[in-house]
């Protein structure tokens, strides 16, 4: 009996092992139908890593559960999750309906990819088991299908577009649009909703819908154009206790609309973000009743701290008593006055941001920070606060972000920063600080010896606009973002090492750095560098030809140095380049044809060099996005290629001071930005950003503005507001012929300079159509005839020069023209009337032609005068010598004349000497 029982047990265990083995074997294998569905899904995608290789190359093995981005159930082997987010590669293309064959799919992560502006596929509603759908920041567009309300199992829905990680969000329209949000109410299991950057301007029911989602914990409706909440909507809402995180920032909601609804919805909020709305007045006292609140963001509003709140015995005091309150952001809210020391009662703060308020003249001492033991982020930027700490003060906190731009820290380098840069991990030489901004803080000191040895953990350093002096150390500088512009740094460039995970920017402009540019080639991980500015330094030599690996470079500025030689051909490898400035160097030779590969260029400044050859036709054909083009002060010759007319976005064209000849192409009216009233970018800006490392450490944002150096109203000056100036400067060339009539079509043109050329004929009659012109210079040409009467219609004209031409007749009458100095019309033939004469009857035309060209013609005259005088002297001298040499009688007569002359001089000198001696003796005798 016992043996039988033992046999049964053995058989049971054996069967169990076999079943378990079969199940484990089954679970480890990929379902073949799902494998085929995944392969079909892959065919509609393009996935590439940073090196350009196929990121889904692993999707070839038999075991699909091991494929990158695929997660299977450990027991059943069915595919339950596709995760293409937070990868080191980007997926593009479309979503294939083959996903419907994955019947057990519960989670889809497609955020941070590029689906080419396609619509959200409606077939997703058939994924009945779906619990998480994340399509945020994936370049989907169009309306959000209301059929998504059928996904009754969904708990997390993220459709926010164009948000974090998108560099130029402000330049795009909202990705999604939604009518009513009624469909959202059917998703009763929702816990997390993100519809940020969606157009919800017609969703007037949004507040009611949100209030009726019983399990909702996190809600983000940032920048959704939310309509205001009516008082009736507030009365209809039910109080919710589930909402923990609420983000309604960037919606322009007024206080009257948001406060009543807010305090009715939830008193259990942990994080509340109402930044960038239209909140006015004091901070509401009711915020002090939110006993669970830990993070409060109210920046970019019109808040007023009441007197009691400044003293700290009101709402801020109540918040300060909360044991877990960690983040307070009141930046850019028009606060003024002084900061009370009682702010230190917020002893649990991790984040304190008061940037952009008017605390002018207020002094911050260590007493304000004595209780901030846990502080990690301090942002007092643009407050004009004076930070005055006792020598040797050791803060109680360890900051990760120090943001003190425009605060008064100087003149000495603040020594307390050293305590924040102490090495946390000696083996890795990593400090606690990731972000340091002490720009424009009044420091005029040498950089302390300890700085370069302690900063290796820093991700972002901005010490620009100070008077800091130092040189780089010999060791490698590991950094992602470095801005030392407008200081007194000197010495050669070091070896920079960039973090391959982050975008890199280096700005060393307006210093005294020396040496060659060869260290550029040695930058580690140069492929992530987006900005390199070495302008206004003392660099020299040839620019190295090593730009093939700078795959992400957006802006390259080497202006105002002493670089020489030809332009490196590898510049053509910079296919992401939008800004290139090589102004003010000694570059020579022709433009490399490879430069036409930089098709994203908007700003190209090659002025003040020694470049030569003809202006390439490919500039107009390939660089069609150009907004600014300056080839000023070079040696370019030939004609202006008519292909330049294809630059329809061009706002500034400067070809002055070259050797360009022939006529102006008549197609300049194709410059759409100058001919039509269109919306223009006032600045050419590059907004470069990296995602922060934690919830409190926001994106690292670098804003770089392309500044043009222009001759404006006779003065050369830096001009960053490019969108306010539409200009053509063709002065100081050899252009001839008449001004084409088509030029009068550029009705938005602000400045036109055609001076110092060889133009002739009449000034175009329709020049008055240039309604926006403020500067018009046609001087030193050969224009003839009358001044067009339409010129009097230019009401914005502030600078006019028609001098040194052959104009005649009466100057048209207008308040504008008669207000100019007479020199604006000088050296013309027969011009009369104010401002050069009272009337025309009193003026007689001067005889002969005027000197065309002014100073240039005078210089030419003097040059010919001295040349002729030299030739005349030489011919007379050698003619006389030849006659004397070949005719004996003349030669003898000439020498006899010289002998007589010599004798006469000798006798005259002797007689004069004798007379003088006699007079001196006579005078001495009388005195005795």
């Amino acid at each position: 009996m016992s043996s039988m029982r033992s046999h049964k047990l053995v058989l049971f265990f054996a069967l169990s092992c076999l079943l378990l083995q079969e199940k484990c074997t089954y679970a480890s294998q990929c379902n073949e139908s799902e494998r085929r569905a995944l392969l079909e899904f892959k065919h509609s995608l393009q996935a590439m890593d940073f090196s350009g290789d196929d990121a889904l190359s692993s999707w070839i093995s038999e075991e699909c559960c091991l494929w990158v981005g695929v997660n299977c159930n450990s027991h059943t082997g069915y595919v339950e999750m596709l995760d293409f987010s937070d990868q080191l590669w980007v997926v593009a293309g479309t979503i294939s309906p083959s996903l419907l064959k994955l019947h057990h799919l519960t989670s889809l992560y497609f955020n941070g990819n590029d689906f080419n502006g396609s619509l959200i596929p409606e077939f997703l509603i058939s994924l009945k088991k779906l619990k998480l759908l994340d399509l945020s920041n994936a370049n989907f567009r169009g309306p959000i299908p209301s059929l998504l309300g059928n996904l009754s199992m969904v708990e997390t829905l993220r459709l926010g577009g164009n948000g974090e990680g998108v560099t130029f969000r402000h330049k795009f329209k909202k990705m999604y649009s939604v009518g009513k949000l009624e469909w959202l109410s059917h998703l009763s299991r929702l816990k997390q909703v993100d519809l940020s950057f969606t157009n919800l301007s017609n969703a007037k029911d949004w507040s009611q819908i949100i209030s009726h989602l019983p399990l909702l914990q996190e809600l983000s409706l940032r920048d959704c154009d939310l309509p205001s909440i009516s008082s009736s909507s507030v009365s209809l809402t039910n109080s919710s206790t589930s909402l923990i995180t609420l983000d309604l920032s960037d919606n322009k909601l007024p206080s009257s609309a948001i406060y009543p609804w807010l305090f009715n919805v939830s008193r259990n909020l942990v994080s509340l973000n109402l930044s960038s709305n239209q909140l006015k007045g004091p901070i509401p006292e009711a915020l002090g009743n939110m006993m669970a609140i830990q993070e409060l963001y109210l920046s970019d509003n019109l808040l007023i701290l009441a007197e009691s709140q400044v003293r700290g015995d009101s709402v801020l005091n109540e918040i300060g008593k909360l044991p877990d309150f960690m983040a307070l952001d009141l930046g850019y809210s028009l606060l003024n006055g002084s900061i009370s020391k009682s702010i230190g009662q917020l002893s649990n703060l991790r984040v304190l941001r008061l940037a952009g308020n008017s605390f002018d003249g207020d002094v911050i001492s260590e007493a304000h920070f004595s209780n901030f033991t846990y502080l990690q982020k301090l942002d007092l930027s643009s407050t004009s606060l004076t930070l005055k700490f006792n020598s040797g003060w050791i803060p109680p906190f360890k900051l990760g972000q120090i943001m003190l731009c425009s605060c008064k820290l100087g003149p000495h380098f603040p020594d307390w920063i050293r305590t924040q840069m102490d090495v946390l991990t000696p083996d890795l030489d990593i400090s606690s600080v990731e972000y340091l901004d002490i720009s424009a803080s009044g420091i005029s000191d040498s950089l302390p010896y300890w700085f370069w040895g302690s900063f290796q953990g820093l991700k972002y350093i901005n010490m620009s606009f100070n008077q800091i002096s130092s040189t780089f150390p010999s060791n490698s500088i590991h950094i992602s973002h470095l801005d030392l512009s407008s200081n007194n740094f000197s010495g050669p460039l070091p070896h920079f090492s960039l973090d391959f995970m982050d975008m890199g920017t280096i700005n060393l402009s307006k210093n005294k750095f020396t040496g060659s540019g060869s260290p550029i080639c040695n930058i580690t991980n140069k492929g992530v560098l987006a900005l390199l500015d070495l302008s206004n330094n003392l660099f020299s030599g040839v620019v190295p030809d090593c730009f093939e690996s700078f795959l992400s470079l957006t802006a390259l500025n080497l202006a105002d140095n002493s670089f020489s030689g030809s332009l490196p051909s590898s510049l053509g490898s910079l296919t992401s380049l939008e800004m290139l400035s090589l102004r003010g160097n000694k570059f020579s030779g022709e433009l490399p044809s490879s430069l036409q590969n930089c098709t994203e260029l908007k700003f190209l400044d090659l002025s003040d060099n020694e470049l030569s050859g003809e202006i390439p036709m490919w500039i107009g054909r390939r660089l069609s996005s150009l907004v600014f083009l300056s080839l000023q002060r070079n040696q370019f010759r030939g004609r202006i290629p008519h292909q330049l007319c294809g630059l329809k976005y061009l706002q500034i064209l400067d070809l002055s001071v070259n050797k360009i000849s022939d006529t102006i192409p008549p197609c300049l009216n194709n410059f759409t930005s100058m001919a039509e009233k269109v919306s223009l970018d006032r600045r050419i800006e590059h907004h470069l950003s990296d995602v922060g490392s934690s919830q409190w450490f926001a994106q690292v944002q670098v804003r770089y503005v392309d500044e043009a150096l222009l001759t404006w109203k006779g003065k050369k000056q830096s001009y960053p507001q490019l969108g306010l100036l539409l200009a053509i400067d063709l002065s100081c060339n050899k252009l001839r012929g008449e001004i084409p009539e088509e030029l009068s079509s550029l009705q938005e043109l602000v400045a036109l300079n055609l001076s110092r050329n060889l133009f002739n004929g009449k000034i175009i009659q329709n020049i008055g159509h240039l309604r926006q012109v403020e500067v018009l210079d046609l001087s030193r040409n050969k224009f003839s005839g009358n001044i067009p009467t339409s010129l009097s219609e230019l009401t914005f004209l502030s600078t006019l020069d028609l001098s040194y031409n052959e104009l005649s007749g009466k100057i048209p009458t207008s308040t504008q023209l008669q207000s100019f100095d007479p020199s604006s019309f000088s050296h013309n033939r027969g011009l009369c009337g104010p401002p050069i004469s009272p009337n025309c009857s009193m003026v007689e035309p001067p005889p002969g032609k005027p000197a065309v060209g002014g100073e240039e013609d005078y210089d030419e005259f003097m040059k010919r005068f001295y040349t002729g005088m030299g030739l005349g002297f030489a011919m007379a001298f050698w003619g006389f010598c030849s006659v004397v040499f070949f005719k004996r009688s003349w030669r003898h007569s000439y020498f006899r004349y010289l002998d007589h002359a010599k004798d006469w001089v000798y006798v005259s000198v002797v007689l004069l000497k004798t007379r003088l001696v006699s007079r001196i003796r006579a005078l001495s005798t009388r005195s005795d």
Side-chain angles (χ1 to χ4, degrees):
M1 185 77 174
S2 61
S3 62
M4 232 176 127
R5 182 179 300 169
S6 62
H7 283 301
K8 288 181 179 180
L9 286 174
V10 170
L11 182 62
F12 172 78
F13 283 119
L15 290 173
S16 298
C17 290
L18 288 173
L19 289 173
L20 285 173
Q21 183 179 2
E22 181 182 356
K23 187 171 183 179
C24 293
T25 304
Y26 173 77
S28 65
Q29 292 181 348
C30 173
N31 183 280
E32 183 58 30
S33 62
E34 291 192 335
R35 183 179 182 276
R36 289 195 298 269
L38 288 173
L39 290 176
E40 186 179 346
F41 171 69
K42 177 189 176 183
H43 289 321
S44 64
L45 302 175
Q46 300 87 42
M48 291 190 301
D49 57 22
F50 287 141
S51 60
D53 297 329
D54 183 9
L56 300 182
S57 57
S58 65
W59 285 33
I60 56 175
S61 64
E62 294 295 326
E63 187 47 71
C64 65
C65 290
L66 299 179
W67 292 354
V68 62
V70 178
N71 289 309
C72 300
N73 186 289
S74 59
H75 298 294
T76 65
Y78 290 123
V79 176
E80 293 186 339
M81 178 189 297
L82 291 181
D83 187 357
F84 291 168
S85 65
D86 299 324
Q87 304 287 352
L88 297 179
W89 36 269
V90 175
V91 171
T94 58
I95 298 179
S96 169
S98 60
L99 283 184
L100 300 181
K101 299 176 183 179
L102 305 177
H103 302 293
H104 301 273
L105 201 61
T106 61
S107 301
L108 275 180
Y109 291 93
F110 288 155
N111 56 301
N113 290 288
D114 183 5
F115 288 94
N116 303 320
S118 58
L119 299 176
I120 297 178
E122 292 191 356
F123 61 76
L124 292 180
I125 66 171
S126 300
L127 299 173
K128 298 299 183 180
K129 294 185 178 181
L130 206 60
K131 295 183 179 181
L132 186 150
L133 178 61
D134 190 347
L135 305 180
S136 59
N137 304 316
N139 196 11
F140 286 103
R141 296 182 184 271
I144 297 177
S146 59
L147 293 176
L148 291 181
N150 295 331
L151 296 174
S152 57
M153 300 293 290
V154 166
E155 299 177 359
T156 299
L157 181 64
R158 301 190 187 115
L159 305 179
N162 260 348
E164 293 183 353
V166 179
T167 304
F168 297 101
R169 177 179 62 82
H170 65 288
K171 291 189 176 181
F172 293 99
K173 295 180 180 180
K174 301 290 191 297
M175 278 189 166
Y176 301 132
S177 60
V178 176
K180 292 186 176 182
L181 279 177
E182 190 272 337
W183 59 271
L184 201 62
S185 63
H186 300 300
L187 306 179
S188 58
R189 296 174 180 264
L190 276 178
K191 296 180 181 179
Q192 299 180 14
V193 175
D194 183 359
L195 299 179
S196 297
F197 311 105
T198 301
N199 185 354
L200 299 180
S201 57
N202 295 322
K204 297 182 179 180
D205 57 343
W206 71 270
S207 59
Q208 301 177 41
I209 298 300
I210 297 305
S211 301
H212 287 84
L213 295 176
L215 303 179
L216 189 62
Q217 298 178 1
E218 298 181 14
L219 173 65
S220 180
L221 299 178
R222 179 185 176 190
D223 196 2
C224 290
D225 299 325
L226 291 175
S228 295
I229 306 171
S230 62
S231 57
S232 59
S233 298
V234 174
S235 61
L236 293 174
T237 58
N238 296 325
S239 179
S240 171
T241 58
S242 61
L243 201 59
I244 296 175
T245 301
L246 177 62
D247 186 352
L248 300 179
S249 59
D250 294 284
N251 277 294
K252 300 180 181 179
L253 292 171
S255 307
S256 57
I258 191 63
Y259 285 154
W261 177 82
L262 176 66
F263 301 135
N264 191 47
V265 167
S266 176
R267 294 183 179 179
N268 293 324
L269 280 177
V270 173
S271 177
L272 174 62
N273 192 343
L274 300 179
S275 299
S276 300
N277 280 287
Q278 295 179 352
L279 308 182
K280 297 181 180 179
I283 299 175
E285 302 291 332
L287 285 176
N289 298 327
M290 292 185 173
M291 303 305 295
I293 196 74
Q294 296 181 12
E295 302 173 15
L296 180 60
Y297 305 95
L298 300 176
S299 63
D300 294 285
N301 283 289
L302 303 175
L303 301 176
I304 299 174
L305 282 180
E307 182 180 355
S308 59
Q309 293 174 337
V310 175
R311 291 199 309 267
D313 55 4
S314 187
V315 61
L316 293 183
N317 189 32
E318 293 299 320
I319 293 176
K321 295 178 182 179
L322 301 177
D324 298 320
F325 190 74
M326 294 183 289
L328 176 63
D329 184 357
L330 300 177
Y332 295 94
S333 293
L334 300 184
L335 303 178
N336 51 33
S338 60
I339 301 177
S340 172
K341 295 178 182 178
S342 59
I343 195 173
Q345 295 179 10
L346 305 175
S347 56
N348 293 307
L349 270 187
R350 269 68 169 176
V351 176
L352 176 61
R353 184 171 184 261
L354 301 176
N357 290 296
S358 301
F359 303 120
D360 193 15
D362 198 11
V363 177
I364 297 293
S365 66
E366 56 264 31
H368 290 82
F369 299 116
S370 58
N371 293 327
F372 289 158
T373 308
Y374 305 105
L375 196 64
Q376 298 177 20
K377 175 179 178 179
L378 176 64
D379 187 357
L380 303 178
S381 302
S382 304
T383 58
S384 299
L385 286 167
T386 298
L387 274 64
K388 192 173 184 179
F389 303 132
N390 292 327
S391 177
W393 177 61
I394 300 178
F397 45 73
K398 287 290 185 182
L399 295 175
Q401 288 194 4
I402 303 174
M403 308 169 75
L404 302 175
C405 169
S406 297
C407 289
K408 298 173 184 176
L409 307 179
H412 301 295
F413 196 91
D415 197 56
W416 63 270
I417 290 181
R418 182 181 184 182
T419 66
Q420 305 301 296
M421 299 177 68
D422 287 344
V423 176
L424 292 180
T425 311
D427 294 338
L428 300 177
D429 197 24
I430 297 177
S431 65
S432 59
V433 181
E434 290 185 6
Y435 190 112
L436 175 64
D437 185 353
I438 52 175
S439 58
S441 56
I443 300 175
S444 55
D445 195 4
S446 58
L447 203 62
Y449 70 92
W450 48 262
F451 185 83
W452 294 122
S454 306
F455 89 112
Q456 292 295 335
L458 276 168
K459 181 177 182 179
Y460 178 100
I461 299 177
N462 188 348
M463 296 191 290
S464 61
F465 295 97
N466 286 290
Q467 294 297 319
I468 301 174
S469 58
S470 180
T471 58
F472 281 117
S474 57
N475 57 299
S476 178
I477 304 295
H478 186 81
I479 193 70
S480 291
H481 305 276
L482 179 63
D483 189 349
L484 302 180
S485 60
S486 299
N487 277 286
N488 292 321
F489 287 92
S490 59
L493 289 177
H495 172 251
F496 289 110
S497 178
L498 304 176
D499 190 338
F500 78 96
M501 293 288 291
D502 299 321
M503 175 198 63
T505 62
I506 299 175
N507 189 346
L508 305 180
S509 63
K510 299 178 182 176
N511 279 283
K512 299 176 182 177
F513 290 110
T514 57
S516 70
S518 57
I520 295 175
C521 302
N522 300 324
I523 297 176
T524 303
N525 297 320
K526 58 178 73 73
V528 301
L529 187 65
L531 164 66
L532 179 61
D533 189 347
L534 304 180
S535 63
N536 287 275
N537 279 286
L538 303 174
F539 294 112
S540 59
V542 177
V543 174
D545 195 6
C546 61
F547 289 99
E548 297 90 348
S549 302
F550 290 81
L551 303 178
S552 304
L553 201 60
T554 302
L556 174 62
N557 193 343
L558 305 179
D560 297 308
N561 282 284
S562 296
F563 289 117
S564 58
S566 58
L567 299 183
S569 60
S570 59
L571 287 175
S573 304
L574 305 177
T575 54
S576 299
L577 199 65
E578 297 180 6
M579 183 270 190
L580 175 62
S581 180
L582 305 177
R583 178 190 68 229
N585 283 284
K586 299 176 182 177
F587 291 113
S588 58
E590 298 184 359
L591 297 183
S593 60
S594 61
L595 205 59
Q596 64 184 300
N597 298 326
C598 303
T599 55
E600 299 297 319
L601 270 177
K602 296 179 180 178
F603 184 101
L604 178 59
D605 190 349
L606 304 177
S607 61
D608 289 299
N609 280 286
E610 300 171 7
L611 298 169
S612 58
E614 296 187 354
I615 299 176
M617 292 183 290
W618 49 257
I619 290 181
R621 289 175 176 170
R622 300 295 305 276
L623 309 184
S624 57
S625 298
L626 278 178
V627 175
F628 177 92
L629 173 61
S630 178
L631 304 179
Q632 179 200 44
R633 207 173 292 277
N634 279 283
Q635 301 294 324
F636 288 106
R637 65 181 187 277
R639 63 171 60 191
I640 300 175
H642 67 85
Q643 287 82 3
L644 284 188
C645 299
L647 302 177
K648 62 180 180 179
Y649 302 112
L650 200 63
Q651 297 178 27
I652 295 176
L653 173 64
D654 191 348
L655 305 179
S656 62
V657 197
N658 279 283
K659 298 178 181 179
I660 303 171
S661 57
D662 214 324
T663 59
I664 297 178
C667 57
L668 292 186
N669 58 340
N670 291 336
F671 292 156
T672 307
S673 296
M674 301 180 186
E676 301 176 9
K677 195 172 187 63
V678 294
S679 177
L680 301 174
D681 290 333
R682 296 200 170 198
R683 296 168 180 254
I684 302 180
E685 294 184 348
H686 309 279
H687 294 263
L688 312 170
S689 61
D690 270 351
V691 179
S693 59
S694 72
Q695 58 175 331
W696 290 317
F697 291 179
Q699 293 178 339
V700 173
Q701 296 188 351
V702 178
R703 185 175 67 91
Y704 184 77
V705 180
D706 301 341
E707 291 192 3
L709 191 64
L710 300 174
T711 302
W712 172 247
K713 297 185 179 181
K715 296 180 180 179
K716 189 173 272 191
Q717 56 185 321
S718 180
Y719 208 90
Q721 298 281 2
L722 294 183
L724 301 179
L725 180 61
L726 300 170
I728 294 178
D729 190 347
L730 305 179
S731 62
C732 300
N733 279 289
K734 298 179 181 180
L735 295 167
R736 56 183 173 80
E738 298 184 356
I739 301 177
E741 288 286 342
E742 290 80 1
L743 198 65
S744 62
S745 301
L746 305 181
Q747 300 182 18
E748 300 300 315
L749 197 64
V750 176
L752 176 63
N753 190 349
L754 304 179
S755 65
R756 299 175 186 270
N757 278 286
L758 303 173
F759 291 114
N760 55 26
K762 294 183 178 181
I763 300 174
I764 53 175
Q765 293 298 313
N766 294 329
I767 197 167
H769 289 177
L770 305 178
R771 304 289 187 186
Q772 304 299 322
V773 161
E774 298 180 26
V775 177
L776 178 62
D777 191 347
L778 304 179
S779 64
R780 304 178 192 279
N781 282 285
K782 297 180 180 180
F783 290 114
S784 59
N786 296 332
I787 297 177
T789 56
S790 64
L791 196 66
S792 61
E793 301 172 8
L794 301 180
T795 55
F796 293 107
L797 197 61
S798 60
T799 300
L800 173 66
D801 194 349
L802 302 178
S803 63
Y804 292 96
N805 279 287
E806 300 174 7
L807 298 170
S808 59
K810 184 181 179 181
I811 298 175
T813 303
S814 74
T815 305
Q816 198 79 4
L817 293 182
Q818 271 63 49
S819 65
F820 290 112
D821 190 87
S823 62
S824 298
F825 305 94
S826 67
H827 293 83
N828 281 283
R829 181 175 58 189
L831 271 184
C832 59
I836 61 175
S837 64
N839 54 62
C840 287
S841 61
M842 301 176 60
V843 178
E844 295 182 4
K849 289 187 177 182
V852 176
E855 295 176 1
E856 290 181 354
D857 289 348
Y858 175 78
D859 293 340
E860 185 69 20
F861 168 77
M862 295 304 295
K863 186 188 297 182
R864 293 180 180 179
F865 171 77
Y866 288 122
T867 302
M869 187 175 67
L871 289 174
F873 175 80
M875 291 179 66
F877 176 77
W878 288 111
F880 173 79
C881 291
S882 299
V883 171
V884 171
F885 181 77
F886 290 107
K887 194 166 183 66
R888 178 180 296 178
S889 60
W890 283 34
R891 185 166 62 249
H892 290 172
S893 299
Y894 175 65
F895 286 125
R896 279 197 299 269
Y897 169 77
L898 290 179
D899 289 337
H900 288 311
K902 181 186 68 173
D903 293 339
W904 179 84
V905 171
Y906 175 77
V907 170
S908 298
V909 171
V910 170
L911 290 174
L912 181 61
K913 179 180 179 182
T914 303
R915 290 174 184 173
L916 289 175
V917 171
S918 299
R919 289 183 181 180
I920 292 172
R921 288 177 179 175
L923 290 174
S924 61
T925 303
R926 290 177 185 177
S927 61
D928 293 337

